Amino acid sequence: MAKVIVGATPFEGHVGPVLTVAADLVRRGHDVVVYTGSRFEARALGTGARFQPLPPEADLDDRRLDSLFPLRATLPPGPAQLSFDFETFFLGQLPAQVRGLRALLARFPADVVVGELGFWSIPVLSLAAPPRERPTLVTLGSVPLLIQSADTPPFGAGLPPTPGEEARARNRAMNAEVRQLFAELQSFGAATLASLGVPIPDYLFDVPFRHTDHYLQLTVPSFEYPRADLPEHLRFVGTLPPPASRTYAEPAWWPELSADQPVVVVTQGTVANTDLTELVVPTVRALADLDVLVVAATARPDGPELVRRALIDVPDNVRLAGYVPFDRLLPHADALVTNGGYGGVQTALYHGVPLVVAGASEDKPEVAARVEWSGTGVNLHTGRPSPTEVRAAVRTVLSDPGYRAQAGIMAKEIGQHQPFDTIAEIIDASTIR
C-alpha cells in the first residue's frame, strides 16, 4: 500500500479528474489524501479518501470568481484574462498552496503526489529537490497541451499545425512573440517561485510540463497535434472513464431517449454556465422545428427555470434539465453541442458522440480547434453563436456520417488505453524505488 496525496486547484474542471483518480486508488487499497478546496470535502470523502483543505488564502470558490474578483469580468478572453487568472488563481495562491502541502507531507509522508496541470506545487517540489529526496510526482493533463513546440502554433492562437519547414519557422516566430507578450507574467512567475526558493528555468507555461516525473495527458494521440519535441516523460494515457452514477433519478421523459428520433444534447459545462444565453438558449431556439429531441443539460439547479425565462415558450421537442450524468445520457446522444470544456469533450468522444463546439474562454477555443482538426465535429469559432449558426452545424453533424465515424474511431482508440492502470503502475513502482 502506498501513501498518495492528490491535489488540485479548487475549480470544478480541475478537481473532477483528480477525484476520479483518487477513487480508483482507494479501490486498489492505497492510503489517499485529497488536498483541494473545502467546498469539495464531501465529494472527496465520498471517494473513500481522507481530506485536507487548502489554506484559507488558497481556498477559492470558483462559483464566485466574478463577484470576488469583479475586474476579471471586465477582461476579454485572451491574454489579458489569462494573465489575470495566472497571477490571481495559480501563481497568486501558490505560496499558500505549497506551505499547506509541505505541512501535510510532514505528517503524511506520501510516496506519490498526483496533481492536475494547475496544481503548481508539483513543479515547485520537482525543482526544490532531486527525486530521491521527495515523492514521485505525477501531473494529469486535463487541458490541451500548452507546451511550446516548433511543430505547432502557440497555444491560444486556435490554429491547427501545418507541415513543412516554412510552417516551423512561422511557429518559432509566433512562439517568440507570445513569450514577449507574457513577459510581465513571466517576471511575476519568476518572483513567485524565487520566494519559494526555486528558479524558473523555462518559459512559464512550459514549467508544469517539464518539471514533473510523469506527465499523463488525459486523451489519445489522435486528438492532439503531433509534436516531435515533447519531453520523454509525457505520455498519452487515454480518457478517464466518466464516473458511474448510482443515485440519479431518471426524469419522466427519459424513455424518449430510446425512440427513433435523433437526440441532441446541449451543455455549457459546470463552470462557464453563468449565462445560458451564450449557447444553451440559442441551441434550443435553433433546433425548435427540427425532427430531433433536444436535452438541455444546464448543470445547475436553477438552469431549467433560467432557460424558460429566456424563451418564454419552451419548444415541444426540448427537455430541460439541471444536472444529468453523462455516463447515462451520452450513450443515447447523436450529437453534443458544447462550449468546449476539455472533460466534457473527452467524455463525448469516449462514447463516440460527434460534436458542435462554441467556446471563447479559457482553453475552449483550443479544444474546439482540435475537434475540428480531428474530424470529430464542427467548430463554430465563437462563444456566442447565433441560432442560425448552431442549426447549420447540427444539421451538418447529423447528416454527414463522417463525423460520427471519426468520433467512433476515436472512441475505439480511447478504449485501447487504461489510464487507471498506468497511474497504478507508477504508484506501485514508487514504493520499491
Side-chain angles (χ1 to χ4, degrees), residues 70-202:
L71 174 61
R72 184 180 188 273
T74 69
L75 300 174
Q81 191 178 90
L82 184 60
S83 292
F84 180 90
D85 287 353
F86 262 80
E87 288 190 12
T88 307
F89 307 136
F90 300 105
L91 298 174
Q93 315 301 323
L94 183 58
Q97 183 191 99
V98 171
R99 183 181 71 247
L101 178 59
R102 284 176 168 159
L104 176 58
L105 284 167
R107 62 180 183 274
F108 183 80
D111 301 291
V112 182
V113 175
V114 179
E116 42 77 34
L117 175 64
F119 189 68
W120 270 66
S121 288
I122 283 185
V124 170
L125 292 183
S126 177
L127 290 164
R132 288 284 181 184
E133 299 176 13
R134 57 165 172 75
T136 298
L137 304 174
V138 181
T139 304
L140 305 177
S142 55
V143 300
L145 292 179
L146 285 77
I147 189 169
Q148 287 199 336
S149 169
D151 294 326
T152 62
F155 187 91
L159 298 174
T162 53
E165 186 52 41
E166 183 177 341
R168 288 170 58 84
R170 178 204 63 180
N171 294 337
R172 285 190 289 266
M174 292 179 69
N175 286 336
E177 290 175 4
V178 168
R179 289 194 294 272
Q180 183 59 39
L181 179 65
F182 289 108
E184 290 187 11
L185 183 60
Q186 179 81 16
S187 297
F188 183 88
T192 302
L193 267 65
S195 73
L196 296 167
V198 297
I200 185 167
D202 304 289

Side-chain angles (χ1 to χ4, degrees), residues 23-110:
D24 182 73
L25 293 176
V26 170
R27 284 193 293 269
R28 293 173 186 262
H30 298 299
D31 189 2
V32 180
V33 175
V34 174
Y35 176 57
T36 190
S38 57
R39 86 173 182 92
F40 298 100
E41 179 174 4
R43 285 170 57 185
L45 294 175
T47 68
R50 291 184 273 170
F51 180 76
Q52 175 64 40
L54 290 162
E57 307 96 301
D59 195 359
L60 300 172
D61 187 336
D62 60 331
R63 299 167 299 182
R64 301 175 57 220
L65 293 184
D66 286 345
S67 60
L68 292 172
F69 305 95
L71 174 61
R72 184 180 188 273
T74 69
L75 300 174
Q81 191 178 90
L82 184 60
S83 292
F84 180 90
D85 287 353
F86 262 80
E87 288 190 12
T88 307
F89 307 136
F90 300 105
L91 298 174
Q93 315 301 323
L94 183 58
Q97 183 191 99
V98 171
R99 183 181 71 247
L101 178 59
R102 284 176 168 159
L104 176 58
L105 284 167
R107 62 180 183 274
F108 183 80

